């Protein structure tokens, strides 16, 4: 029979274990959870590159990349402390902040948004204004879609739920659906469809794709935010030069992605400058004008009804520091 341990002894043991753990945490890598916005794919390539090549480790970070999906709320994951960083878009971050969620964007993953609509090549729709009288498959609640309705006075445009597939598109020559130009066009063309796409960013609605964190985490651990941003930007620079290492790992984590599909996505990211933007010096950066414009668009759409200072939703500190170490 085991001897009983007194409460005082248990407390002493717990205290010693806690101190030991703290010492290990202080001397070993800091565990960081990073929530992506979808299943592993080339749009996440720079982060996997930084992980596989040890760039996070070089900064003293043990980064765990957690895949997202259609039912994952990255804002809730971060604000609730389940993840320290997550992927999203600048419009989502502004809306979250206006609703009281304490999150802040710390770097741009993409300067240009690959969100678009996909149509058959012979579609009579030649511009966004031509969408009246048609039906479009869209993820319910998409802010960019609300912008289109108002911007082009689309009073006779029918919305149906997106299915995250091109099956309906292939069967119906009149079908119009949302897409990422880095993804769905590949499947449509592979199945023999001739298509065209129209980027939402061409309408003047231009959110960044961003990495964000909790405001409290930024204030309490600015050095960890700096390390994560620095290593991530390093990974993205490498990935755009040579995606082999990261794409090999992504194919293991997400076997549904074929090498051809990943090559298509990666090449599209490069060719259309989604990551860097037209000016490579802006890689990772934000501009005040774009955040202010986005904020005003959301207010005009009444998506934001609780006024905030848009500068509360982002910081340029860490990318600026990474560019000038």
């Amino acid at each position: 029979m085991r001897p009983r341990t007194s409460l005082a002894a248990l407390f002493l043991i717990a205290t010693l274990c806690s101190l030991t753990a703290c010492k290990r945490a202080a001397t070993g890598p800091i565990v960081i959870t990073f929530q992506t916005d979808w299943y592993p794919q080339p749009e996440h390539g720079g982060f996997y590159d930084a992980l596989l090549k040890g760039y996070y480790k070089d900064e003293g970070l043990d980064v765990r990349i957690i895949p997202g999906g259609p039912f994952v709320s990255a804002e809730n994951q971060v604000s609730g402390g389940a993840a320290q960083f997550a992927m999203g878009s600048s419009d989502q971050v502004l809306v979250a902040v206006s609703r009281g969620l304490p999150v802040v964007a710390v770097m741009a993953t993409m300067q240009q948004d690959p969100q678009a609509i996909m149509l058959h090549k012979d579609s009579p729709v030649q511009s966004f204004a031509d969408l009246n009288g048609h039906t479009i498959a869209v993820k319910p609640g998409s802010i960019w879609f609300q912008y289109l309705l108002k911007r082009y006075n689309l009073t006779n445009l029918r919305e149906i739920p997106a299915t995250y597939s091109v099956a309906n598109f292939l069967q119906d020559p009149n079908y119009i659906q949302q897409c990422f130009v880095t993804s769905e066009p590949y499947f449509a063309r592979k199945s023999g469809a001739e298509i065209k796409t129209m980027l939402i960013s061409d309408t003047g609605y231009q959110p960044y794709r961003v990495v964000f964190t909790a405001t409290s985490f930024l204030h309490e651990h600015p050095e960890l935010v700096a390390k994560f941003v620095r290593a991530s930007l390093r990974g993205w620079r490498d990935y755009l030069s040579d995606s082999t290492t990261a794409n090999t790992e992504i194919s293991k984590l997400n076997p549904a992605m074929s090498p051809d599909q990943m090559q298509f996505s990666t090449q599209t990211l490069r060719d259309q400058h989604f990551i860097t933007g037209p000016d490579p010096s802006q890689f990772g950066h934000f501009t005040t004008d774009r955040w202010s414009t986005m904020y005003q668009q959301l207010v005009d759409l009444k998506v934001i009804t609780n006024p905030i200072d848009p500068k509360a939703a982002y910081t340029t500190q860490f990318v600026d520091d990474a560019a000038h170490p």
Side-chain angles (χ1 to χ4, degrees):
M1 183 175 179
R2 291 184 180 179
R4 294 182 179 178
T5 305
S6 69
L7 289 176
L10 286 173
F11 178 78
L12 178 61
I13 292 170
T15 302
L16 290 173
C17 289
S18 177
L19 289 173
T20 302
C22 287
K23 184 177 181 181
R24 287 176 182 168
T27 58
I30 305 298
V31 176
I32 295 292
T33 299
F34 175 47
Q35 176 70 66
T36 69
D37 57 352
W38 202 248
Y39 310 115
Q41 56 185 329
E43 288 84 344
H44 309 151
F47 302 111
Y48 282 103
D49 197 282
L51 180 65
L52 294 166
K53 293 183 178 176
Y55 298 159
Y56 292 125
K57 185 177 179 181
D58 290 347
E59 297 284 358
L61 305 179
D62 179 6
V63 173
R64 318 286 174 85
I65 301 179
I66 308 300
F71 307 110
V72 175
S73 171
E75 292 89 348
N76 289 338
Q77 289 287 93
V78 165
S79 62
Q84 284 71 55
F85 298 94
M87 297 178 70
S89 59
S90 55
D91 53 356
Q92 293 171 333
V93 171
L94 283 164
V95 171
V97 173
S98 76
R99 293 176 178 172
L101 286 179
V103 296
V104 57
V106 296
M107 64 172 277
T109 300
M110 295 189 191
Q111 289 289 319
Q112 305 294 330
D113 192 353
Q115 185 73 66
I117 63 171
M118 183 170 71
L119 315 91
H120 288 271
K121 183 180 179 180
D122 295 332
S123 170
V125 175
Q126 300 296 323
S127 69
F128 290 101
D130 296 335
L131 285 169
N132 253 334
H134 294 270
T135 299
I136 182 171
V138 178
K139 179 182 177 182
S142 295
I143 303 174
W144 61 263
F145 182 68
Q146 298 176 51
Y147 176 83
L148 288 188
L149 294 178
K150 182 172 183 178
R151 168 79 169 76
Y152 296 100
N153 193 28
L154 301 175
T155 57
N156 188 28
L157 176 59
R158 179 171 172 254
E159 176 187 2
I160 59 174
T163 62
Y164 303 103
S165 166
V166 297
N168 292 334
F169 182 89
L170 296 173
Q171 295 171 6
D172 183 352
N174 296 312
Y175 201 82
I176 303 171
Q177 71 173 77
Q178 72 173 52
C179 75
F180 260 31
V181 296
T182 53
S183 181
E184 285 85 357
Y186 167 81
F187 294 104
R189 289 177 177 135
K190 185 178 180 181
S191 298
E194 294 186 351
I195 69 156
K196 58 185 177 184
T197 59
M198 298 193 299
L199 283 167
I200 303 303
S201 59
D202 289 341
T203 69
Y205 190 80
Q206 297 181 316
Y208 293 103
R209 292 279 161 177
V210 304
V211 169
F212 62 92
T213 188
T215 306
S216 59
F217 186 82
L218 184 151
H219 291 322
E220 294 168 12
H221 305 288
E223 75 288 353
L224 297 183
V225 178
K227 290 172 182 291
F228 184 84
V229 168
R230 189 161 51 236
S232 297
L233 291 174
R234 187 180 174 192
W236 271 111
R237 288 188 186 95
D238 274 14
Y239 183 79
L240 292 174
S241 297
D242 184 356
S243 60
T244 306
T245 300
N247 281 356
T248 299
E249 179 66 12
I250 290 170
S251 67
K252 295 176 183 176
L253 297 171
N254 185 3
M257 296 205 73
S258 69
D260 284 348
Q261 180 190 352
M262 285 192 291
Q263 176 59 32
F264 172 85
S265 297
T266 304
Q267 199 60 48
T268 304
L269 288 171
R270 290 191 187 113
D271 291 348
Q272 298 196 37
H273 309 293
F274 288 116
I275 305 297
T276 62
D279 179 0
S281 69
Q282 291 302 302
F283 170 60
H285 286 266
F286 300 134
T287 67
T288 299
D289 287 347
R290 273 184 65 177
W291 279 91
S292 297
T293 297
M294 176 60 57
Y295 172 73
Q296 191 58 54
Q297 289 169 333
L298 296 174
V299 170
D300 292 344
L301 291 170
K302 296 183 172 54
V303 173
I304 287 181
T305 56
N306 179 34
I308 61 169
D309 181 352
K311 291 182 179 179
Y314 69 96
T315 176
T316 63
Q317 172 187 346
F318 301 101
V319 174
D320 288 344
D321 289 349
H324 304 286

